[in-house]
Amino acid sequence: MPRNKSIIMLSVGHACVDVYQGAVASLVPFFVAERAYSYAVVSGIVLAASLLSSVAQPVFGALTDRWAMPWLLPVSTVLGGLGIALSGVSGSYAWTLAFVAVSGIGVAAYHPESARVARRVSEGSHSAMAWFSLGGNLGFATAPLMVGAVVATGGLRLTPLLVVPALVGSVLCLPVLRALGGPVRGGSGAAVATGTDDVASFVKLSLAVVCRSIVFIGLSTFISLYVQQRPGGSTAAGTAALFVLYVGGAVGSVLGGQLANRWDRVTVARWSYLVTVAAVAGIVCVPGPAIYVFVALTSVGLYVPFSLQVTLGQDYLPTRTGTASGITLGLTVSIGGLVTPLIGGVAHATSLRMALAPLILMPALSWLLFRTLPEPTAPGAASRRPEPRPGPRPGRRRVHSADS
């Protein structure tokens, strides 16, 4: 199977899984309206899904480092969709919490193995990995549209229809796994990566990802309210700002892969975080419609390093790529999310602008951490270098055609 076709199928499958990460928060208004859940109760549902998914990802990563589990891709995709599909069927809060937890486990099981498979299919191409990451970002962003289209028309009783993306995603990954066949069945245990784990660099990378996560989750949670509260703000203006934040992420994901083909990943990430410092400062300090420009720059700056950080983590831990993928895609994101209540507390005590101001420091810390990181050599990169083209053989004249 051609590489581009495989990456497209994996990217669409990634979207079909990550749509369920965004679906949990999108269902909150319907839980409040139909079941009279309090904000504290529904926040427990969201927290259960996000924490369970993020913390479990490194566990699944460690398991896939030890045993080959290609079957996790279709099974986890179905599991992620099934949990959300059943969450609206029962009126019991306990069952709702359990079904959402099942979906979180499915999402957690998917990412480490899918990141490994995507890396093999990409053959080291940063652009291909960027397209794979783009699928997940688009899936997350389209979740509110999907939930709104289904549940708003017939209520929570129609949530079983939300299983459709999971069925599509599980089917799409099967041809890719069949095409890879031997290498995937061998898992990381059979295809032992060469190189030595650079744990110190991986820890620094993880801290940089945590800082990035704090900025993005903080802004995605409060940017809509912040824009509404500014002079001339409105609900539509806040929604537009959130849309720009998501669309900029899609652009940044693809741009990051393109830039990494020209410069090394550490350099690209370092400069993107430096741009993000100025962009976040613009959001907090610059008045007027220019905020949309700074929101877009912030989103692009935060997402340019997104897929690059995943492959960097895999190269820093070449013998534990599943664990590396689980941490960079999961655990570090959940730690960033835990800071959001602190931002809300500061906003309640002072103002939303004062609460968002410390976010300017986060990309600056990521930039400082990346200044200490080396650019690793991907395992097997040497074997992927094209052979030099031989010149004319000695003693033979090179004949030029009339078209040359």
Side-chain angles (χ1 to χ4, degrees):
M1 182 180 295
R3 184 182 74 183
N4 289 346
K5 183 178 180 180
S6 297
I7 283 294
I8 290 173
M9 295 176 76
L10 287 174
S11 180
V12 175
H14 193 185
C16 291
V17 171
D18 278 12
V19 74
Y20 296 111
Q21 283 190 313
V24 178
S26 302
L27 284 170
V28 165
F30 299 99
F31 286 136
V32 173
E34 290 192 28
R35 299 181 181 176
Y37 287 167
S38 67
Y39 292 127
V41 169
V42 292
S43 65
I45 295 176
V46 177
L47 188 63
S50 59
L51 277 183
L52 184 61
S53 173
S54 299
V55 173
Q57 283 190 44
V59 176
F60 281 104
L63 292 174
T64 56
D65 279 335
R66 187 166 185 178
W67 295 287
M69 297 181 178
W71 52 267
L72 269 181
L73 267 66
V75 171
S76 61
T77 301
V78 172
L79 201 62
L82 193 62
I84 294 298
L86 295 177
S87 65
V89 173
S90 172
S92 165
Y93 178 71
W95 278 111
T96 301
L97 203 63
F99 288 136
V100 169
V102 167
S103 178
I105 292 174
V107 172
Y110 173 84
H111 282 95
E113 187 68 13
S114 67
R116 189 207 315 280
V117 172
R119 187 70 187 275
R120 287 183 181 169
V121 170
S122 70
E123 298 175 345
S125 167
H126 301 309
S127 297
M129 284 298 292
W131 282 105
F132 171 73
S133 297
L134 174 64
N137 298 332
L138 292 179
F140 184 85
T142 56
L145 300 178
M146 180 189 73
V147 172
V150 173
V151 183
T153 57
L156 291 172
R157 62 185 180 84
L158 293 184
T159 55
L161 295 178
L162 298 178
V163 78
V164 173
L167 299 179
V168 173
S170 63
V171 171
L172 285 176
C173 70
L174 295 178
V176 180
L177 297 180
R178 281 198 299 267
L180 289 178
V184 173
R185 283 195 301 269
S188 60
V192 178
T194 57
T196 304
D197 290 344
D198 186 352
V199 177
S201 294
F202 181 77
V203 171
K204 294 176 184 177
L205 173 70
S206 299
L207 291 175
V209 177
V210 168
C211 294
R212 176 211 170 272
S213 174
I214 292 173
V215 179
F216 183 77
I217 295 180
L219 287 178
S220 62
T221 303
F222 296 108
I223 190 66
S224 182
L225 290 173
Y226 180 63
V227 172
Q228 290 179 40
Q229 294 175 4
R230 288 162 63 98
S234 64
T235 302
T239 302
L242 187 60
F243 177 75
V244 170
L245 186 69
Y246 286 152
V247 171
V251 174
S253 296
V254 177
L255 181 62
Q258 298 295 329
L259 293 175
N261 288 333
R262 185 167 184 177
W263 296 283
D264 65 79
R265 291 165 292 178
V266 171
T267 298
V268 171
R270 186 187 304 152
W271 279 103
S272 67
Y273 280 126
L274 197 58
V275 170
T276 306
V277 174
V280 177
I283 292 176
V284 175
C285 303
V286 177
I291 189 173
Y292 295 104
V293 176
F294 289 113
V295 170
L297 286 175
T298 298
S299 183
V300 172
L302 290 174
Y303 268 97
V304 162
F306 187 77
S307 64
L308 308 182
Q309 290 167 160
V310 176
T311 58
L312 279 170
Q314 292 172 336
D315 290 343
Y316 287 140
L317 298 184
T319 66
R320 291 177 285 176
T321 58
T323 301
S325 302
I327 291 175
T328 53
L329 286 172
L331 183 62
T332 50
V333 174
S334 70
I335 295 175
L338 292 177
V339 179
T340 303
L342 297 179
I343 299 175
V346 174
H348 180 75
T350 56
S351 67
L352 197 48
R353 169 177 277 188
M354 290 296 295
L356 294 180
L359 296 183
I360 301 173
L361 298 176
M362 294 297 105
L365 291 175
S366 294
W367 174 74
L368 288 173
L369 287 164
F370 264 91
R371 283 180 58 85
T372 66
L373 291 177
E375 174 67 27
T377 301
S383 63
R384 289 193 299 269
R385 286 199 195 104
E387 293 292 333
R389 297 181 62 184
R393 292 181 182 177
R396 295 185 63 181
R397 262 178 65 191
R398 185 174 179 180
V399 180
H400 294 269
S401 66
D403 296 332
S404 61

